[in-house]
Amino acid sequence: MIGCFILIALSGTGQSGQPLEIKIGYLHQPPSRIRISLMDVPAANDGLAGALLAIDDNNATGRFLNQHYTLVEKTIGENDDPAAAVDALADQGVSFVVTSLDADRLLKAADAGKARGETLINAFAIDERLREQDCRADVIHVAPARSMLADALAQYLVWKKWRKWILIVGSHENDGLFADALRHAATRFGAKIVEERTFKDNGGARRTDSGVAEIQQQIPMVTQGAPEHDVLVAADESEVFAGYLPYRTWDPRPVAGSAGLVPTTWDAAFDQWGAVQLQNRFTRTFQRPMTAHDMQVWTSVRVVGEAAARTNSGDPGKMLAYMKSPEFSVAAFKGQKLTLRDWNQQLRQPILLFDGRNTVSVSPQEGFLHQVSTLDTLGLDRPETKCVLK
């Protein structure tokens, strides 16, 4: 898992006309490069590039408000303790921490941060428990929950009247968590899982001279003899099998979930609501496309910049109060302003559905209504939550 987090240090207002200095640190470890497709192997600066671009955008606004933002980067190893890094940067006056850590490391960082008065902004971990039984008052979530991704996909499949699903689940823990979210989404929106199958990871390498022939023989057997269905939905966060499903299933059916039609917060092909401008700036600067991780980190840094700009202050208490207030919103090229759910501090946001080349759709879908916000049809709603912020 990728592990990284950004720490934001705010100094007091400058004297003699000097700008307010807002230091933003980026603490991270190299991203995992394990992917089915070579085209999906992340760049070494995945996430970091989003932070750098957001710093530039914060400074574009900050010049008018006598504010200046600086990024401070630090790398940690896979086995390093994030709590020690949080403490070290807190000693430098850090007040906000944007994280790209897995769930366990995020909770360790949050424990250390709470003791030092830190606020964390989660830009990576999608685990439901971070928004439910393990929710924290000092953690804001910009990364979507798994339930948001699953609900976005389910809404579209139901809108298409593709209600009969075959669910194929990988054998790793995270695969099971995504499968749980898909089951909940199917029940919530009226789809039916007509059969479930498990794909066991037996190890071994597929990038061999005979790999294509082997896959062509194996995948149809995995999907053979299935009951009548409209779509095959895969839960494979571990990148073991889902990428091999399209065009290789026994029956000619579309694939969705972890491959085929994929729910995500961002994609390099997204071109609506001014996104082309952001995509072009990113590509010019970093000579590569912008990933969902880049965008989630970009949005997290912009959350802090928006709070500093709207309050015209570097005071952490004032900024955090604004972030949690009904007046807060952040623009992120999604067609509407994004706001925080007050019951678990999850950022409301549309979810994009991509086929690997183009935007297929954007959820929430038309016709799925909500008494507060249609964005609250994505993910666990207030009456469902187990979160007690403390």
Side-chain angles (χ1 to χ4, degrees):
M1 297 288 289
I2 297 171
C4 51
F5 57 90
I6 296 176
L7 297 114
I8 296 126
L10 302 173
S11 66
T13 54
Q15 298 177 355
S16 304
Q18 293 299 313
L20 169 69
E21 183 65 27
I22 303 175
K23 296 180 180 179
I24 303 180
Y26 192 59
L27 181 60
H28 65 109
Q29 67 184 51
S32 169
R33 297 176 62 82
I34 299 175
R35 296 293 188 274
I36 284 180
S37 172
L38 292 175
M39 293 183 65
D40 294 331
V41 174
N45 64 351
D46 189 34
L48 172 61
L52 291 168
L53 190 66
I55 288 292
D56 287 345
D57 291 343
N58 283 355
N59 276 323
T61 301
R63 283 192 289 271
F64 297 98
L65 300 173
N66 205 30
Q67 299 172 346
H68 182 262
Y69 296 80
T70 302
L71 188 72
V72 180
E73 182 194 358
K74 182 177 181 181
T75 303
I76 60 171
E78 184 177 353
N79 297 320
D80 291 342
D81 183 6
V86 170
D87 284 339
L89 288 163
D91 291 340
Q92 302 176 46
V94 167
S95 298
F96 292 89
V97 182
V98 178
T99 70
S100 289
L101 302 169
D102 61 45
D104 290 338
R105 300 187 99 196
L106 174 60
L107 292 174
K108 289 181 181 179
D111 288 342
K114 184 175 182 179
R116 302 298 299 272
E118 308 296 288
T119 298
L120 277 63
I121 305 178
N122 169 28
F124 181 75
I126 62 176
D127 302 69
E128 211 69 46
R129 66 186 176 101
L130 296 175
R131 289 90 169 159
E132 292 295 306
Q133 64 269 27
D134 290 333
C135 70
R136 306 292 179 85
D138 61 332
V139 180
I140 292 170
H141 303 281
V142 166
R146 281 191 180 89
S147 60
M148 294 171 65
L149 300 172
D151 287 351
L153 178 62
Q155 284 189 14
Y156 179 74
L157 297 180
V158 169
W159 181 84
K160 285 288 293 178
K161 304 191 185 318
W162 296 346
R163 297 176 182 270
K164 295 179 182 179
W165 302 357
I166 295 290
L167 178 62
I168 300 186
V169 185
S171 55
H172 295 274
E173 181 181 1
N174 284 352
D175 305 334
L177 294 174
F178 188 32
D180 288 341
L182 289 166
R183 294 184 193 104
H184 182 272
T187 300
R188 186 180 193 185
F189 298 113
K192 182 179 181 180
I193 299 174
V194 298
E195 184 174 293
E196 291 192 26
R197 297 185 177 186
T198 300
F199 190 101
K200 293 185 179 180
D201 182 8
N202 296 319
R206 295 191 183 275
R207 290 201 183 105
T208 62
D209 291 341
S210 61
V212 171
E214 177 186 348
I215 294 164
Q216 189 167 324
Q217 294 296 322
Q218 181 182 9
I219 293 299
M221 300 300 293
V222 173
T223 59
Q224 183 179 9
E228 180 61 31
H229 59 286
D230 300 314
V231 60
L232 191 152
V233 181
D236 178 33
E237 289 189 10
S238 303
E239 291 262 351
V240 172
F241 70 92
Y244 301 126
L245 288 171
Y247 306 106
R248 294 187 177 98
T249 57
W250 186 270
D251 297 308
R253 298 291 185 273
V255 174
S258 296
L261 185 65
V262 177
T264 181
T265 56
W266 195 254
D267 189 273
F270 186 58
D271 59 1
Q272 299 180 43
W273 300 307
V276 171
Q277 182 261 349
L278 181 67
Q279 302 274 27
N280 288 342
R281 286 195 295 117
F282 187 95
T283 302
R284 282 197 305 269
T285 304
F286 302 105
Q287 289 78 54
R288 67 169 179 83
M290 190 176 196
T291 67
H293 185 207
D294 288 318
M295 186 57 179
Q296 287 161 198
V297 175
W298 181 91
T299 305
S300 299
V301 176
R302 286 291 299 121
V303 163
V304 179
E306 185 72 12
R310 295 295 180 179
T311 60
N312 197 22
S313 171
D315 179 79
K318 291 181 180 179
M319 292 171 62
L320 181 59
Y322 176 74
M323 291 177 192
K324 295 185 176 184
S325 73
E327 289 74 33
F328 171 78
S329 66
V330 62
F333 303 93
K334 295 289 187 71
Q336 55 188 296
K337 293 181 178 179
L338 311 185
T339 60
L340 284 180
R341 293 171 177 159
D342 58 11
W343 65 87
N344 65 358
Q345 301 182 155
Q346 170 68 55
L347 189 72
R348 297 179 174 96
Q349 58 188 297
I351 299 296
L352 317 179
L353 301 173
F354 276 87
D355 66 358
R357 297 289 296 177
N358 294 296
T359 312
V360 174
S361 190
V362 181
S363 289
Q365 297 293 316
E366 183 178 355
F368 291 87
L369 305 178
H370 192 276
Q371 63 271 28
V372 176
S373 169
T374 56
L375 292 175
D376 285 340
T377 64
L378 305 179
L380 298 184
D381 201 359
R382 186 189 301 272
E384 301 174 277
T385 188
K386 299 176 184 177
C387 175
V388 179
L389 294 170
K390 57 184 178 179

